[in-house]
Amino acid sequence: MNDSVTRNNLQLNKWIKRAWPSIILPLVVLFLFHNRNIHPGYNVSWWKLYKLARRLRRNGKSIKSGSSYRAHLAMAAKLLEISPSTEGVVVECGCFKGGSTANLSIICDFVGRDLIIYDSFEGLPSGGPNDRYTRDAQGHFFGALDTVSHNVEKFGVLERCSFRKGWFIDTLPEHVEPIVLAFLDVDYQASIHDCLVNLWPHLIDKGYVFTDDYTYTDLCAVYFSEEFWQREFGTNPPGLIGTGTGIAMGQFFVGPLMSMGGNRAYPLQSPASTAYTRKDYTGYWGYRRENEEKNE
Ligand SMILES: C[S@@+](CC[C@H](N)C(=O)[O-])C[C@H]1O[C@@H](n2cnc3c(N)ncnc32)[C@H](O)[C@@H]1O
């Protein structure tokens, strides 16, 4: 009895894994782009958006990638809200084999922007003492520059891309271009720190930062840390939409990641999403009871 239930479960799992992405593709397009804030200057149609989504999803099967095509599509949705006349590039920090890069290059071509890619092209550095999930992962997510540019040439739009090779601590301080959207997929606290400290000042007023490190609440905590934002920028923290579980894009994920088996969780309950903030958002808690203030 138990064996047959397990067998049936596994079969159902397999079926869902195969069918679900196709079932929800049109729904993801509908949910993400049914949006009156899309700028009319892009002249988009449902058919163009559907074709974009289909291409991004196909690429997800062709290049080994650490993020979902749905995350990339969510970035497209937000880029389409920014006026085409607003100056600014898209930046990707952390590209692995170029799966997310190829998709972002297609999106950049769609919205008429350039893409700058920062990576060591040697994989992850070694982690720090507080990097609980990827501490011993030096060299993981290795993708050589040749491999990445080959993948982008084959599956994306290479002409949109410029690659800046090296450790973030050395390369990011040299960044000068205004940024409309940055995608950070960098796994470590030190790497997140270097990306935010060096890129945030170049983000336009309503520019976006997306992160793939959204399932780890301690990594998301930087977006709510008053200490960090006051020290680095003299501002309040911006917060992070999608903290811990990602934004809703056709799949539930109750989290947290480790207790649910990470990417091996049940197909309807796996994280295949993203989280984001915008420069003008706030994640600051400023309330205090009046009598507490008086007692000071
Ligand atoms: C998880 S992978 C990126 C996955 C990719 N965005 C995708 O969706 O396939 C993390 C990447 O960050 C890069 N990385 C992390 N910390 C870095 C640092 N301090 N300097 C340069 N590259 C770094 C690694 O080389 C690796 O390519």
Side-chain angles (χ1 to χ4, degrees), residues 64-67 72 92-100 118-125 140-141 143 166-169 183 185-188 191 194:
K64 201 171 173 201
S65 180
S67 53
H72 311 153
E92 176 180 45
C93 292
C95 66
F96 186 27
K97 303 279 184 205
S100 48
Y118 288 97
D119 201 291
S120 64
F121 299 101
E122 294 180 24
L124 294 174
H140 284 208
F141 292 110
W167 300 110
F168 295 151
I169 199 165
F183 176 43
D185 186 1
V186 300
D187 296 6
Y188 285 138
S191 302
D194 291 343

PDB file of all heavy atoms in Angstrom, residues 64-67 72 92-100 118-125 140-141 143 166-169 183 185-188 191 194, ligand 1:
ATOM      1  N   LYS A  64      22.920  25.764 -18.535  1.00  0.00           N
ATOM      2  CA  LYS A  64      22.801  25.498 -17.098  1.00  0.00           C
ATOM      3  C   LYS A  64      22.727  26.840 -16.368  1.00  0.00           C
ATOM      4  O   LYS A  64      23.600  27.699 -16.561  1.00  0.00           O
ATOM      5  CB  LYS A  64      24.025  24.714 -16.642  1.00  0.00           C
ATOM      6  CG  LYS A  64      23.808  23.978 -15.375  1.00  0.00           C
ATOM      7  CD  LYS A  64      24.977  23.061 -15.096  1.00  0.00           C
ATOM      8  CE  LYS A  64      24.781  22.478 -13.715  1.00  0.00           C
ATOM      9  NZ  LYS A  64      25.994  21.978 -13.130  1.00  0.00           N
ATOM     10  N   SER A  65      21.689  27.024 -15.583  1.00  0.00           N
ATOM     11  CA  SER A  65      21.486  28.345 -14.989  1.00  0.00           C
ATOM     12  C   SER A  65      21.104  28.232 -13.519  1.00  0.00           C
ATOM     13  O   SER A  65      20.464  27.267 -13.108  1.00  0.00           O
ATOM     14  CB  SER A  65      20.372  29.066 -15.763  1.00  0.00           C
ATOM     15  OG  SER A  65      20.164  30.332 -15.202  1.00  0.00           O
ATOM     16  N   GLY A  66      21.504  29.250 -12.761  1.00  0.00           N
ATOM     17  CA  GLY A  66      21.189  29.262 -11.341  1.00  0.00           C
ATOM     18  C   GLY A  66      19.924  30.042 -11.027  1.00  0.00           C
ATOM     19  O   GLY A  66      19.512  30.139  -9.875  1.00  0.00           O
ATOM     20  N   SER A  67      19.285  30.629 -12.050  1.00  0.00           N
ATOM     21  CA  SER A  67      18.061  31.395 -11.778  1.00  0.00           C
ATOM     22  C   SER A  67      17.015  31.033 -12.831  1.00  0.00           C
ATOM     23  O   SER A  67      17.334  30.501 -13.890  1.00  0.00           O
ATOM     24  CB  SER A  67      18.356  32.900 -11.780  1.00  0.00           C
ATOM     25  OG  SER A  67      19.014  33.279 -12.963  1.00  0.00           O
ATOM     26  N   HIS A  72      13.894  36.360 -14.733  1.00  0.00           N
ATOM     27  CA  HIS A  72      14.368  37.245 -15.811  1.00  0.00           C
ATOM     28  C   HIS A  72      13.179  38.016 -16.413  1.00  0.00           C
ATOM     29  O   HIS A  72      13.289  39.202 -16.734  1.00  0.00           O
ATOM     30  CB  HIS A  72      15.090  36.422 -16.899  1.00  0.00           C
ATOM     31  CG  HIS A  72      16.121  35.479 -16.336  1.00  0.00           C
ATOM     32  ND1 HIS A  72      16.504  34.305 -16.942  1.00  0.00           N
ATOM     33  CD2 HIS A  72      16.839  35.532 -15.172  1.00  0.00           C
ATOM     34  CE1 HIS A  72      17.416  33.692 -16.193  1.00  0.00           C
ATOM     35  NE2 HIS A  72      17.629  34.406 -15.116  1.00  0.00           N
ATOM     36  N   GLU A  92      24.592  43.062 -14.489  1.00  0.00           N
ATOM     37  CA  GLU A  92      24.456  41.745 -13.862  1.00  0.00           C
ATOM     38  C   GLU A  92      25.728  41.452 -13.083  1.00  0.00           C
ATOM     39  O   GLU A  92      26.832  41.546 -13.625  1.00  0.00           O
ATOM     40  CB  GLU A  92      24.253  40.646 -14.913  1.00  0.00           C
ATOM     41  CG  GLU A  92      24.200  39.272 -14.256  1.00  0.00           C
ATOM     42  CD  GLU A  92      24.008  38.110 -15.215  1.00  0.00           C
ATOM     43  OE1 GLU A  92      24.672  38.075 -16.267  1.00  0.00           O
ATOM     44  OE2 GLU A  92      23.192  37.237 -14.899  1.00  0.00           O
ATOM     45  N   CYS A  93      25.576  41.093 -11.801  1.00  0.00           N
ATOM     46  CA  CYS A  93      26.719  40.645 -11.010  1.00  0.00           C
ATOM     47  C   CYS A  93      26.539  39.162 -10.722  1.00  0.00           C
ATOM     48  O   CYS A  93      25.606  38.774 -10.004  1.00  0.00           O
ATOM     49  CB  CYS A  93      26.808  41.407  -9.693  1.00  0.00           C
ATOM     50  SG  CYS A  93      27.212  43.135  -9.917  1.00  0.00           S
ATOM     51  N   GLY A  94      27.401  38.349 -11.280  1.00  0.00           N
ATOM     52  CA  GLY A  94      27.335  36.902 -11.081  1.00  0.00           C
ATOM     53  C   GLY A  94      26.603  36.232 -12.223  1.00  0.00           C
ATOM     54  O   GLY A  94      25.378  36.278 -12.293  1.00  0.00           O
ATOM     55  N   CYS A  95      27.371  35.617 -13.158  1.00  0.00           N
ATOM     56  CA  CYS A  95      26.699  35.103 -14.365  1.00  0.00           C
ATOM     57  C   CYS A  95      26.857  33.602 -14.574  1.00  0.00           C
ATOM     58  O   CYS A  95      26.205  33.053 -15.467  1.00  0.00           O
ATOM     59  CB  CYS A  95      27.193  35.863 -15.589  1.00  0.00           C
ATOM     60  SG  CYS A  95      28.930  35.565 -15.960  1.00  0.00           S
ATOM     61  N   PHE A  96      27.719  32.913 -13.809  1.00  0.00           N
ATOM     62  CA  PHE A  96      27.891  31.455 -13.942  1.00  0.00           C
ATOM     63  C   PHE A  96      28.186  31.092 -15.401  1.00  0.00           C
ATOM     64  O   PHE A  96      29.155  31.568 -15.964  1.00  0.00           O
ATOM     65  CB  PHE A  96      26.642  30.783 -13.376  1.00  0.00           C
ATOM     66  CG  PHE A  96      26.675  29.272 -13.286  1.00  0.00           C
ATOM     67  CD1 PHE A  96      27.870  28.579 -13.157  1.00  0.00           C
ATOM     68  CD2 PHE A  96      25.493  28.533 -13.310  1.00  0.00           C
ATOM     69  CE1 PHE A  96      27.892  27.191 -13.061  1.00  0.00           C
ATOM     70  CE2 PHE A  96      25.497  27.147 -13.214  1.00  0.00           C
ATOM     71  CZ  PHE A  96      26.693  26.483 -13.098  1.00  0.00           C
ATOM     72  N   LYS A  97      27.349  30.291 -16.065  1.00  0.00           N
ATOM     73  CA  LYS A  97      27.628  29.879 -17.461  1.00  0.00           C
ATOM     74  C   LYS A  97      26.993  30.836 -18.480  1.00  0.00           C
ATOM     75  O   LYS A  97      27.075  30.603 -19.684  1.00  0.00           O
ATOM     76  CB  LYS A  97      27.059  28.478 -17.730  1.00  0.00           C
ATOM     77  CG  LYS A  97      27.561  27.396 -16.807  1.00  0.00           C
ATOM     78  CD  LYS A  97      28.909  26.880 -17.234  1.00  0.00           C
ATOM     79  CE  LYS A  97      29.369  25.716 -16.343  1.00  0.00           C
ATOM     80  NZ  LYS A  97      30.829  25.572 -16.314  1.00  0.00           N
ATOM     81  N   GLY A  98      26.283  31.863 -17.970  1.00  0.00           N
ATOM     82  CA  GLY A  98      25.703  32.832 -18.899  1.00  0.00           C
ATOM     83  C   GLY A  98      24.230  32.601 -19.216  1.00  0.00           C
ATOM     84  O   GLY A  98      23.696  33.223 -20.141  1.00  0.00           O
ATOM     85  N   GLY A  99      23.571  31.732 -18.447  1.00  0.00           N
ATOM     86  CA  GLY A  99      22.132  31.500 -18.681  1.00  0.00           C
ATOM     87  C   GLY A  99      21.318  32.765 -18.427  1.00  0.00           C
ATOM     88  O   GLY A  99      20.517  33.203 -19.272  1.00  0.00           O
ATOM     89  N   SER A 100      21.560  33.375 -17.268  1.00  0.00           N
ATOM     90  CA  SER A 100      20.842  34.619 -16.958  1.00  0.00           C
ATOM     91  C   SER A 100      21.338  35.745 -17.870  1.00  0.00           C
ATOM     92  O   SER A 100      20.561  36.618 -18.277  1.00  0.00           O
ATOM     93  CB  SER A 100      21.037  34.990 -15.486  1.00  0.00           C
ATOM     94  OG  SER A 100      22.398  34.911 -15.125  1.00  0.00           O
ATOM     95  N   TYR A 118      29.505  41.724 -14.549  1.00  0.00           N
ATOM     96  CA  TYR A 118      30.667  41.612 -13.666  1.00  0.00           C
ATOM     97  C   TYR A 118      30.747  40.185 -13.121  1.00  0.00           C
ATOM     98  O   TYR A 118      29.752  39.662 -12.592  1.00  0.00           O
ATOM     99  CB  TYR A 118      30.529  42.566 -12.477  1.00  0.00           C
ATOM    100  CG  TYR A 118      30.707  44.026 -12.826  1.00  0.00           C
ATOM    101  CD1 TYR A 118      29.616  44.847 -13.059  1.00  0.00           C
ATOM    102  CD2 TYR A 118      31.985  44.579 -12.896  1.00  0.00           C
ATOM    103  CE1 TYR A 118      29.787  46.200 -13.361  1.00  0.00           C
ATOM    104  CE2 TYR A 118      32.160  45.936 -13.196  1.00  0.00           C
ATOM    105  CZ  TYR A 118      31.068  46.733 -13.424  1.00  0.00           C
ATOM    106  OH  TYR A 118      31.240  48.059 -13.715  1.00  0.00           O
ATOM    107  N   ASP A 119      31.912  39.575 -13.222  1.00  0.00           N
ATOM    108  CA  ASP A 119      32.118  38.246 -12.626  1.00  0.00           C
ATOM    109  C   ASP A 119      33.618  37.982 -12.568  1.00  0.00           C
ATOM    110  O   ASP A 119      34.388  38.561 -13.337  1.00  0.00           O
ATOM    111  CB  ASP A 119      31.429  37.157 -13.467  1.00  0.00           C
ATOM    112  CG  ASP A 119      31.173  35.891 -12.665  1.00  0.00           C
ATOM    113  OD1 ASP A 119      32.149  35.184 -12.303  1.00  0.00           O
ATOM    114  OD2 ASP A 119      30.002  35.602 -12.362  1.00  0.00           O
ATOM    115  N   SER A 120      33.998  37.080 -11.656  1.00  0.00           N
ATOM    116  CA  SER A 120      35.408  36.661 -11.610  1.00  0.00           C
ATOM    117  C   SER A 120      35.714  35.797 -12.828  1.00  0.00           C
ATOM    118  O   SER A 120      36.862  35.715 -13.253  1.00  0.00           O
ATOM    119  CB  SER A 120      35.652  35.841 -10.338  1.00  0.00           C
ATOM    120  OG  SER A 120      34.893  34.646 -10.396  1.00  0.00           O
ATOM    121  N   PHE A 121      34.708  35.110 -13.348  1.00  0.00           N
ATOM    122  CA  PHE A 121      34.850  34.056 -14.360  1.00  0.00           C
ATOM    123  C   PHE A 121      35.800  32.965 -13.855  1.00  0.00           C
ATOM    124  O   PHE A 121      36.435  32.268 -14.615  1.00  0.00           O
ATOM    125  CB  PHE A 121      35.281  34.630 -15.722  1.00  0.00           C
ATOM    126  CG  PHE A 121      34.252  35.602 -16.267  1.00  0.00           C
ATOM    127  CD1 PHE A 121      34.440  36.973 -16.160  1.00  0.00           C
ATOM    128  CD2 PHE A 121      33.073  35.128 -16.831  1.00  0.00           C
ATOM    129  CE1 PHE A 121      33.479  37.869 -16.625  1.00  0.00           C
ATOM    130  CE2 PHE A 121      32.105  36.013 -17.293  1.00  0.00           C
ATOM    131  CZ  PHE A 121      32.315  37.384 -17.190  1.00  0.00           C
ATOM    132  N   GLU A 122      35.868  32.872 -12.524  1.00  0.00           N
ATOM    133  CA  GLU A 122      36.641  31.794 -11.867  1.00  0.00           C
ATOM    134  C   GLU A 122      35.764  31.102 -10.835  1.00  0.00           C
ATOM    135  O   GLU A 122      36.255  30.357 -10.002  1.00  0.00           O
ATOM    136  CB  GLU A 122      37.867  32.385 -11.158  1.00  0.00           C
ATOM    137  CG  GLU A 122      38.880  32.975 -12.096  1.00  0.00           C
ATOM    138  CD  GLU A 122      40.086  33.559 -11.349  1.00  0.00           C
ATOM    139  OE1 GLU A 122      40.361  33.134 -10.205  1.00  0.00           O
ATOM    140  OE2 GLU A 122      40.742  34.436 -11.925  1.00  0.00           O
ATOM    141  N   GLY A 123      34.491  31.398 -10.835  1.00  0.00           N
ATOM    142  CA  GLY A 123      33.589  30.838  -9.827  1.00  0.00           C
ATOM    143  C   GLY A 123      33.632  31.642  -8.537  1.00  0.00           C
ATOM    144  O   GLY A 123      34.248  32.712  -8.470  1.00  0.00           O
ATOM    145  N   LEU A 124      32.986  31.093  -7.507  1.00  0.00           N
ATOM    146  CA  LEU A 124      32.892  31.809  -6.228  1.00  0.00           C
ATOM    147  C   LEU A 124      34.254  31.909  -5.546  1.00  0.00           C
ATOM    148  O   LEU A 124      35.072  30.999  -5.671  1.00  0.00           O
ATOM    149  CB  LEU A 124      31.950  31.063  -5.280  1.00  0.00           C
ATOM    150  CG  LEU A 124      30.471  30.980  -5.649  1.00  0.00           C
ATOM    151  CD1 LEU A 124      29.734  30.068  -4.662  1.00  0.00           C
ATOM    152  CD2 LEU A 124      29.832  32.370  -5.632  1.00  0.00           C
ATOM    153  N   PRO A 125      34.497  33.007  -4.823  1.00  0.00           N
ATOM    154  CA  PRO A 125      35.674  33.032  -3.936  1.00  0.00           C
ATOM    155  C   PRO A 125      35.372  32.185  -2.697  1.00  0.00           C
ATOM    156  O   PRO A 125      34.316  31.567  -2.623  1.00  0.00           O
ATOM    157  CB  PRO A 125      35.796  34.512  -3.578  1.00  0.00           C
ATOM    158  CG  PRO A 125      34.417  35.064  -3.710  1.00  0.00           C
ATOM    159  CD  PRO A 125      33.699  34.224  -4.737  1.00  0.00           C
ATOM    160  N   HIS A 140      32.927  27.064  -7.033  1.00  0.00           N
ATOM    161  CA  HIS A 140      31.603  26.634  -7.510  1.00  0.00           C
ATOM    162  C   HIS A 140      31.032  27.701  -8.445  1.00  0.00           C
ATOM    163  O   HIS A 140      31.404  28.857  -8.374  1.00  0.00           O
ATOM    164  CB  HIS A 140      30.631  26.425  -6.343  1.00  0.00           C
ATOM    165  CG  HIS A 140      30.882  25.150  -5.603  1.00  0.00           C
ATOM    166  ND1 HIS A 140      29.908  24.453  -4.931  1.00  0.00           N
ATOM    167  CD2 HIS A 140      32.021  24.434  -5.440  1.00  0.00           C
ATOM    168  CE1 HIS A 140      30.435  23.379  -4.381  1.00  0.00           C
ATOM    169  NE2 HIS A 140      31.705  23.351  -4.660  1.00  0.00           N
ATOM    170  N   PHE A 141      30.129  27.307  -9.259  1.00  0.00           N
ATOM    171  CA  PHE A 141      29.506  28.197 -10.261  1.00  0.00           C
ATOM    172  C   PHE A 141      30.567  28.787 -11.196  1.00  0.00           C
ATOM    173  O   PHE A 141      30.505  29.951 -11.580  1.00  0.00           O
ATOM    174  CB  PHE A 141      28.694  29.323  -9.589  1.00  0.00           C
ATOM    175  CG  PHE A 141      27.474  28.819  -8.882  1.00  0.00           C
ATOM    176  CD1 PHE A 141      27.407  28.840  -7.492  1.00  0.00           C
ATOM    177  CD2 PHE A 141      26.400  28.320  -9.586  1.00  0.00           C
ATOM    178  CE1 PHE A 141      26.284  28.364  -6.829  1.00  0.00           C
ATOM    179  CE2 PHE A 141      25.270  27.842  -8.932  1.00  0.00           C
ATOM    180  CZ  PHE A 141      25.216  27.865  -7.551  1.00  0.00           C
ATOM    181  N   GLY A 143      32.273  29.574 -14.527  1.00  0.00           N
ATOM    182  CA  GLY A 143      31.957  29.695 -15.953  1.00  0.00           C
ATOM    183  C   GLY A 143      33.038  30.572 -16.565  1.00  0.00           C
ATOM    184  O   GLY A 143      33.181  31.732 -16.183  1.00  0.00           O
ATOM    185  N   GLY A 166      36.885  40.024 -13.051  1.00  0.00           N
ATOM    186  CA  GLY A 166      37.690  40.266 -11.846  1.00  0.00           C
ATOM    187  C   GLY A 166      36.835  40.135 -10.597  1.00  0.00           C
ATOM    188  O   GLY A 166      35.620  39.944 -10.679  1.00  0.00           O
ATOM    189  N   TRP A 167      37.489  40.240  -9.438  1.00  0.00           N
ATOM    190  CA  TRP A 167      36.746  40.176  -8.171  1.00  0.00           C
ATOM    191  C   TRP A 167      36.007  41.491  -7.975  1.00  0.00           C
ATOM    192  O   TRP A 167      36.531  42.565  -8.289  1.00  0.00           O
ATOM    193  CB  TRP A 167      37.695  39.889  -7.006  1.00  0.00           C
ATOM    194  CG  TRP A 167      38.383  38.577  -7.220  1.00  0.00           C
ATOM    195  CD1 TRP A 167      39.700  38.389  -7.509  1.00  0.00           C
ATOM    196  CD2 TRP A 167      37.776  37.282  -7.231  1.00  0.00           C
ATOM    197  NE1 TRP A 167      39.960  37.046  -7.696  1.00  0.00           N
ATOM    198  CE2 TRP A 167      38.797  36.339  -7.520  1.00  0.00           C
ATOM    199  CE3 TRP A 167      36.481  36.800  -7.021  1.00  0.00           C
ATOM    200  CZ2 TRP A 167      38.554  34.962  -7.610  1.00  0.00           C
ATOM    201  CZ3 TRP A 167      36.233  35.432  -7.106  1.00  0.00           C
ATOM    202  CH2 TRP A 167      37.253  34.535  -7.397  1.00  0.00           C
ATOM    203  N   PHE A 168      34.803  41.406  -7.449  1.00  0.00           N
ATOM    204  CA  PHE A 168      33.962  42.609  -7.303  1.00  0.00           C
ATOM    205  C   PHE A 168      34.696  43.729  -6.578  1.00  0.00           C
ATOM    206  O   PHE A 168      34.546  44.900  -6.909  1.00  0.00           O
ATOM    207  CB  PHE A 168      32.678  42.285  -6.537  1.00  0.00           C
ATOM    208  CG  PHE A 168      31.764  41.325  -7.250  1.00  0.00           C
ATOM    209  CD1 PHE A 168      30.919  40.478  -6.543  1.00  0.00           C
ATOM    210  CD2 PHE A 168      31.720  41.271  -8.649  1.00  0.00           C
ATOM    211  CE1 PHE A 168      30.067  39.606  -7.195  1.00  0.00           C
ATOM    212  CE2 PHE A 168      30.877  40.391  -9.310  1.00  0.00           C
ATOM    213  CZ  PHE A 168      30.046  39.560  -8.575  1.00  0.00           C
ATOM    214  N   ILE A 169      35.461  43.350  -5.567  1.00  0.00           N
ATOM    215  CA  ILE A 169      36.128  44.364  -4.749  1.00  0.00           C
ATOM    216  C   ILE A 169      37.082  45.225  -5.596  1.00  0.00           C
ATOM    217  O   ILE A 169      37.345  46.388  -5.277  1.00  0.00           O
ATOM    218  CB  ILE A 169      36.861  43.692  -3.543  1.00  0.00           C
ATOM    219  CG1 ILE A 169      37.146  44.713  -2.461  1.00  0.00           C
ATOM    220  CG2 ILE A 169      38.105  42.948  -3.974  1.00  0.00           C
ATOM    221  CD1 ILE A 169      37.531  44.112  -1.134  1.00  0.00           C
ATOM    222  N   PHE A 183      21.030  43.185 -11.358  1.00  0.00           N
ATOM    223  CA  PHE A 183      20.659  41.834 -10.916  1.00  0.00           C
ATOM    224  C   PHE A 183      21.853  41.253 -10.167  1.00  0.00           C
ATOM    225  O   PHE A 183      22.921  41.045 -10.750  1.00  0.00           O
ATOM    226  CB  PHE A 183      20.313  40.960 -12.133  1.00  0.00           C
ATOM    227  CG  PHE A 183      20.006  39.531 -11.771  1.00  0.00           C
ATOM    228  CD1 PHE A 183      19.214  39.207 -10.670  1.00  0.00           C
ATOM    229  CD2 PHE A 183      20.492  38.477 -12.549  1.00  0.00           C
ATOM    230  CE1 PHE A 183      18.925  37.882 -10.347  1.00  0.00           C
ATOM    231  CE2 PHE A 183      20.202  37.159 -12.241  1.00  0.00           C
ATOM    232  CZ  PHE A 183      19.420  36.860 -11.131  1.00  0.00           C
ATOM    233  N   ASP A 185      23.389  38.166  -8.166  1.00  0.00           N
ATOM    234  CA  ASP A 185      23.243  36.728  -7.897  1.00  0.00           C
ATOM    235  C   ASP A 185      24.609  36.229  -7.484  1.00  0.00           C
ATOM    236  O   ASP A 185      25.343  35.635  -8.276  1.00  0.00           O
ATOM    237  CB  ASP A 185      22.744  36.025  -9.177  1.00  0.00           C
ATOM    238  CG  ASP A 185      22.440  34.553  -8.927  1.00  0.00           C
ATOM    239  OD1 ASP A 185      22.592  34.100  -7.785  1.00  0.00           O
ATOM    240  OD2 ASP A 185      22.056  33.869  -9.889  1.00  0.00           O
ATOM    241  N   VAL A 186      24.986  36.522  -6.218  1.00  0.00           N
ATOM    242  CA  VAL A 186      26.398  36.430  -5.856  1.00  0.00           C
ATOM    243  C   VAL A 186      26.688  35.600  -4.602  1.00  0.00           C
ATOM    244  O   VAL A 186      27.835  35.444  -4.223  1.00  0.00           O
ATOM    245  CB  VAL A 186      26.998  37.848  -5.693  1.00  0.00           C
ATOM    246  CG1 VAL A 186      26.876  38.625  -6.995  1.00  0.00           C
ATOM    247  CG2 VAL A 186      26.331  38.641  -4.573  1.00  0.00           C
ATOM    248  N   ASP A 187      25.674  35.134  -3.930  1.00  0.00           N
ATOM    249  CA  ASP A 187      25.763  34.085  -2.893  1.00  0.00           C
ATOM    250  C   ASP A 187      26.404  34.442  -1.547  1.00  0.00           C
ATOM    251  O   ASP A 187      26.091  33.797  -0.560  1.00  0.00           O
ATOM    252  CB  ASP A 187      26.492  32.841  -3.425  1.00  0.00           C
ATOM    253  CG  ASP A 187      25.717  32.183  -4.553  1.00  0.00           C
ATOM    254  OD1 ASP A 187      24.704  32.758  -4.988  1.00  0.00           O
ATOM    255  OD2 ASP A 187      26.115  31.102  -4.994  1.00  0.00           O
ATOM    256  N   TYR A 188      27.348  35.356  -1.505  1.00  0.00           N
ATOM    257  CA  TYR A 188      28.074  35.621  -0.262  1.00  0.00           C
ATOM    258  C   TYR A 188      27.768  37.004   0.305  1.00  0.00           C
ATOM    259  O   TYR A 188      27.512  37.944  -0.456  1.00  0.00           O
ATOM    260  CB  TYR A 188      29.582  35.591  -0.517  1.00  0.00           C
ATOM    261  CG  TYR A 188      30.170  34.224  -0.706  1.00  0.00           C
ATOM    262  CD1 TYR A 188      31.124  33.997  -1.687  1.00  0.00           C
ATOM    263  CD2 TYR A 188      29.802  33.164   0.117  1.00  0.00           C
ATOM    264  CE1 TYR A 188      31.691  32.752  -1.852  1.00  0.00           C
ATOM    265  CE2 TYR A 188      30.358  31.912  -0.046  1.00  0.00           C
ATOM    266  CZ  TYR A 188      31.310  31.710  -1.034  1.00  0.00           C
ATOM    267  OH  TYR A 188      31.867  30.486  -1.184  1.00  0.00           O
ATOM    268  N   SER A 191      30.217  39.606  -1.064  1.00  0.00           N
ATOM    269  CA  SER A 191      29.938  39.946  -2.467  1.00  0.00           C
ATOM    270  C   SER A 191      28.713  40.848  -2.558  1.00  0.00           C
ATOM    271  O   SER A 191      28.702  41.831  -3.320  1.00  0.00           O
ATOM    272  CB  SER A 191      29.732  38.671  -3.287  1.00  0.00           C
ATOM    273  OG  SER A 191      30.876  37.851  -3.206  1.00  0.00           O
ATOM    274  N   ASP A 194      29.795  44.311  -1.498  1.00  0.00           N
ATOM    275  CA  ASP A 194      30.569  45.035  -2.529  1.00  0.00           C
ATOM    276  C   ASP A 194      29.645  45.532  -3.644  1.00  0.00           C
ATOM    277  O   ASP A 194      29.826  46.634  -4.157  1.00  0.00           O
ATOM    278  CB  ASP A 194      31.663  44.133  -3.126  1.00  0.00           C
ATOM    279  CG  ASP A 194      32.759  43.834  -2.102  1.00  0.00           C
ATOM    280  OD1 ASP A 194      32.830  44.557  -1.085  1.00  0.00           O
ATOM    281  OD2 ASP A 194      33.519  42.875  -2.313  1.00  0.00           O
TER     282      ASP A 194
HETATM  283  C1  LIG B   1      25.114  31.614  -8.375  1.00  0.00           C
HETATM  284  S1  LIG B   1      26.287  32.078  -9.580  1.00  0.00           S
HETATM  285  C2  LIG B   1      25.386  33.109 -10.692  1.00  0.00           C
HETATM  286  C3  LIG B   1      24.295  32.368 -11.425  1.00  0.00           C
HETATM  287  C4  LIG B   1      23.773  33.072 -12.638  1.00  0.00           C
HETATM  288  N1  LIG B   1      23.228  34.384 -12.346  1.00  0.00           N
HETATM  289  C5  LIG B   1      22.691  32.229 -13.281  1.00  0.00           C
HETATM  290  O1  LIG B   1      21.498  32.560 -13.124  1.00  0.00           O
HETATM  291  O2  LIG B   1      23.022  31.208 -13.883  1.00  0.00           O
HETATM  292  C6  LIG B   1      27.286  33.209  -8.679  1.00  0.00           C
HETATM  293  C7  LIG B   1      28.321  33.926  -9.532  1.00  0.00           C
HETATM  294  O3  LIG B   1      28.852  35.001  -8.776  1.00  0.00           O
HETATM  295  C8  LIG B   1      30.233  35.127  -9.037  1.00  0.00           C
HETATM  296  N2  LIG B   1      30.823  35.789  -7.856  1.00  0.00           N
HETATM  297  C9  LIG B   1      30.428  35.672  -6.556  1.00  0.00           C
HETATM  298  N3  LIG B   1      31.150  36.449  -5.755  1.00  0.00           N
HETATM  299  C10 LIG B   1      32.031  37.109  -6.559  1.00  0.00           C
HETATM  300  C11 LIG B   1      33.037  38.097  -6.315  1.00  0.00           C
HETATM  301  N4  LIG B   1      33.302  38.540  -5.067  1.00  0.00           N
HETATM  302  N5  LIG B   1      33.717  38.587  -7.374  1.00  0.00           N
HETATM  303  C12 LIG B   1      33.459  38.150  -8.632  1.00  0.00           C
HETATM  304  N6  LIG B   1      32.531  37.213  -8.931  1.00  0.00           N
HETATM  305  C13 LIG B   1      31.816  36.691  -7.900  1.00  0.00           C
HETATM  306  C14 LIG B   1      30.714  33.705  -9.292  1.00  0.00           C
HETATM  307  O4  LIG B   1      31.847  33.680 -10.097  1.00  0.00           O
HETATM  308  C15 LIG B   1      29.497  33.070  -9.980  1.00  0.00           C
HETATM  309  O5  LIG B   1      29.598  33.139 -11.386  1.00  0.00           O
END
